[in-house]
Amino acid sequence: MRNDLLINTESACFVPDETVIKTANYTQRHRPTSAKSGDRFASNMSDAEKIAQTQKLLDRAIADAWYTVKSDRRPPKLTRTRWVWQLAVSYHLTHTYPQLIEEASRRFAAFGRNNLAQWAAQKAREERGHDRLALLDIQSMGYKAEAVVEALIPPSATVLGNYLAQSVHTPDPIGCVGYSYTLERIATGIKEKHIHSVEALLPPGICATRCLRVHSSIGGDVEHVKETVEMVAELTHEERIGVAISPATKLHYCISTLLWKMIFQRRN
């Protein structure tokens, strides 16, 4: 099994550009001499071109972070017990996300950044209740779900949850957009084949992939990624760079935990 976590080979945006990856300073690669010059350039582009360029910018930032933490380590073999561990991670991330992103919405609104405020409010609505899916999955595995998530808080959930909280509470909470985009973009790489491979490990008749299905290529994250890219494409150049810098300069340590949190395509 390879660590292809962030490289979606079906998307040209995720084909690593070595000239980009090897350049030392991500900010300097993408920041023009002024934000206004970037905005003037964007004004001459069609909406479709702006969206395409924005997704390329964000995906290259994720690829940049991926190469920062890339290693030959392999995730441990998935077992029923480790699947419960993964479900606990999913619970904690989905449990804290709506409240934090709702707070980000209020902060954006207070700054008069209404497009970001509306985006964050919508994210809070979309993700609310997903923690219940993880609890149902754990319960389906024969455990007392509430007791499991109270006792088990995996390190990856702590790292990612702390990153989001810090992003929301900074003077400019734009980092929460990069966080949201990165995790949902990763989720779009989880294909139905992988879901079936997880289900094959479970006892017959057990349904414990509700949360995984929702956060995969067959769930809502494909549309969520599209919506976020369209929103970011309408931001100022400086704000777009702020979103992209989040995964490029900070998410590398979060992504390193995801190498162990998420089990991707299993190869026969």
Side-chain angles (χ1 to χ4, degrees):
M1 191 193 322
R2 288 171 46 196
N3 287 340
D4 290 339
L5 208 51
L6 297 175
I7 308 300
N8 181 353
T9 56
E10 296 175 1
S11 169
C13 294
F14 270 77
V15 175
D17 183 337
E18 294 298 333
T19 61
V20 172
I21 299 302
K22 291 180 180 179
T23 304
N25 191 313
Y26 184 86
T27 305
Q28 290 301 115
R29 288 204 301 270
H30 294 285
R31 192 185 301 276
T33 55
S34 72
K36 290 183 178 180
S37 66
D39 290 336
R40 282 200 302 270
F41 175 75
S43 68
N44 294 325
M45 300 171 66
S46 68
D47 288 345
E49 289 173 325
K50 285 168 62 178
I51 290 170
Q53 288 297 317
T54 298
Q55 178 145 23
K56 182 179 291 186
L57 172 69
L58 299 181
D59 286 352
R60 281 183 173 177
I62 297 174
D64 198 30
W66 158 256
Y67 270 86
T68 301
V69 301
K70 184 179 179 182
S71 76
D72 294 330
R73 293 181 303 173
R74 295 185 176 186
K77 183 179 179 181
L78 187 61
T79 64
R80 294 177 187 178
T81 301
R82 289 196 177 110
W83 183 239
V84 175
W85 178 283
Q86 304 290 350
L87 290 172
V89 174
S90 296
Y91 168 81
H92 289 292
L93 294 183
T94 55
H95 182 70
T96 57
Y97 181 85
Q99 181 179 351
L100 285 169
I101 208 70
E102 195 167 40
E103 183 177 348
S105 176
R106 291 192 293 269
R107 299 196 65 213
F108 283 133
F111 298 144
R113 303 165 81 178
N114 294 328
N115 52 350
L116 284 162
Q118 292 170 2
W119 170 85
Q122 179 178 336
K123 298 301 294 180
R125 290 192 298 270
E126 290 172 345
E127 301 299 323
R128 190 168 287 114
H130 287 190
D131 55 346
R132 299 299 305 173
L133 297 176
L135 289 176
L136 286 171
D137 286 339
I138 295 171
Q139 183 178 319
S140 295
M141 296 289 291
Y143 296 89
K144 294 181 178 179
E146 288 80 4
V148 168
V149 298
E150 182 178 351
L152 179 59
I153 306 177
S156 54
T158 300
V159 170
L160 289 166
N162 287 346
Y163 175 83
L164 177 59
Q166 291 165 8
S167 297
V168 169
H169 295 139
T170 56
D172 181 1
I174 195 77
C176 72
V177 183
Y179 171 95
S180 300
Y181 178 83
T182 300
L183 264 65
E184 290 184 334
R185 189 70 170 97
I186 290 171
T188 64
I190 301 175
K191 307 301 182 182
E192 195 161 10
K193 178 182 177 182
H194 170 67
I195 297 172
H196 290 327
S197 73
V198 174
E199 292 172 338
L201 291 173
L202 306 180
I206 295 299
C207 176
T209 57
R210 300 172 183 85
C211 195
L212 178 64
R213 285 180 172 274
V214 168
H215 300 98
S216 72
S217 62
I218 63 174
D221 283 337
V222 173
E223 187 63 26
H224 294 171
V225 164
K226 179 182 177 182
E227 292 167 352
T228 298
V229 171
E230 290 173 351
M231 184 278 293
V232 174
E234 295 302 316
L235 299 178
T236 67
H237 182 80
E238 186 176 46
E239 287 174 322
R240 290 195 298 274
I241 294 302
V243 173
I245 285 175
S246 297
T249 62
K250 296 179 181 179
L251 275 181
H252 63 275
Y253 71 87
C254 294
I255 292 170
S256 68
T257 67
L258 284 169
L259 293 175
W260 298 93
K261 176 179 111 45
M262 303 196 48
I263 310 296
F264 242 49
Q265 299 168 345
R266 299 175 67 88
R267 294 173 179 267
N268 297 326

